[in-house]
Amino acid sequence: MKAEKLDIHVRLEPFEVELLKESAKSNNQTIQDFIHESALLNLKNTAVRNKDKYSFIDLFSGIGGMRLGFEDAECQCIYSGEWNKFSRKTYLRNFGEFPHGDITKVDASTIPNHDILVAGFPCQPFSIAGISKKNSLGRASGFEDKTQGTLFYDVCRVIKEKRPKAFLLENVKNLRSHDKGRTFQIIYEALTELDYEVFYQIIDGQMFVPQHRERIFIVGFDKQRYGTVNFDFNLNPPEHTPVLSDILESNVDEKYTLSSKLWDYLQNYAKKHREAGNGFGYGLANPDGISRTLSARYYKDGAEILIAQEGKNPRRLTPRECARLQGFPDSFEIPVSDNQAYRQFGNSVVVPLISDIARLITQKLDRLENDPEQ
């Protein structure tokens, strides 16, 4: 039988068209060839499910730091979601697939069944108007009432619809104290209401990379499936604690050296705040130690992590050094501008730390699957 050819017409948003053009050009391909190759690769990734691996979905995926960690722990990603067009470009370049867009517009039933849900959701305040009204009427308020209007609500509705065996959520350290602890209390209550055993811990990534980076990690296991579960964050960091000099490049472009105008401004700004008794100011990092926390605002002036240079002004980190500071491999490609790269790595995660937590989760699932009493 003669194979049938099929012409497919796809409606794309303007920014998606631009991303396709840029990606095709960077790969020295026509748009048609690039789409064809990407479609086949994505088809292969989604069609071939390895039953020996735990499957996971990557929500609020950013540039894929959580994905790299879980893939390192021998898990298979079967769905990803990210709305930022620049992050989607980086994700496409490194994983060969375009993450789905706005999670608020995704029907949870269309997301494939999976073993583990992974999400680095944003920290947002919760409105209490609807909750207060229900309480005054003596009626219980569920997670829908408590979390409606936030992106965490979308995490909950996916968990409710798909009931993964486990989940890992990541957020900034301040989530624990945000809104006098109320935000975290609602998050914890919402997850336990979904009938999951929930564990959390604030962990500093400096055990894995030369950076002081505290984040909260929330792990949950399905009680309907496993009953009462015990879990500990018994991490296994490398014996050699890395220092900043381990990740620095040897030949750095002069464009990363601060201008005298900016360097003078940062010094005067720091002096002003020191005199006022504040601790604000730039940070000259010790090559034999660790750096401050890399933030998404690093693109503005690089003030929080500066590298001293003999005979000239200090410099900021290069995008590749920022990638290394987060534990990304050098094989990870950076197809965006420096400013976008600084934002992306500043918003990302410590990859080897995620790998370690992913292994703990999969090891626990192995025990639970084989012996529910574990």
Side-chain angles (χ1 to χ4, degrees), residues 193-221:
E193 179 188 323
L194 290 167
D195 216 8
Y196 279 77
E197 197 85 69
V198 180
F199 308 87
Y200 61 89
Q201 187 163 317
I202 294 173
I203 303 174
D204 194 333
Q206 68 174 296
M207 294 183 289
F208 296 85
V209 294
Q211 177 193 180
H212 172 61
R213 191 178 190 85
E214 292 181 298
R215 290 293 184 269
I216 189 166
F217 296 92
I218 307 170
V219 172
F221 294 91

Side-chain angles (χ1 to χ4, degrees), residues 169-182:
L169 309 180
E170 179 268 350
N171 212 300
V172 295
K173 172 189 175 183
N174 290 343
L175 177 71
R176 189 72 183 85
S177 56
H178 186 263
D179 195 12
K180 299 180 180 178
R182 228 175 108 310

Side-chain angles (χ1 to χ4, degrees), residues 81-102:
E82 170 60 45
W83 69 271
N84 181 273
K85 66 178 183 179
F86 297 106
S87 294
R88 294 174 88 190
K89 179 178 181 178
T90 301
Y91 201 97
L92 174 64
R93 176 66 67 84
N94 286 280
F95 300 104
E97 64 186 63
F98 215 38
H100 294 258
D102 188 349

Side-chain angles (χ1 to χ4, degrees), residues 108-144:
S109 66
T110 65
I111 294 176
N113 294 330
H114 51 277
D115 297 315
I116 307 169
L117 178 145
V118 178
F121 67 98
C123 177
Q124 296 173 284
F126 296 107
S127 170
I128 63 171
I131 301 174
S132 299
K133 182 178 180 181
K134 276 204 168 186
N135 289 344
S136 68
L137 295 173
R139 293 156 56 194
S141 55
F143 83 83
E144 289 95 341

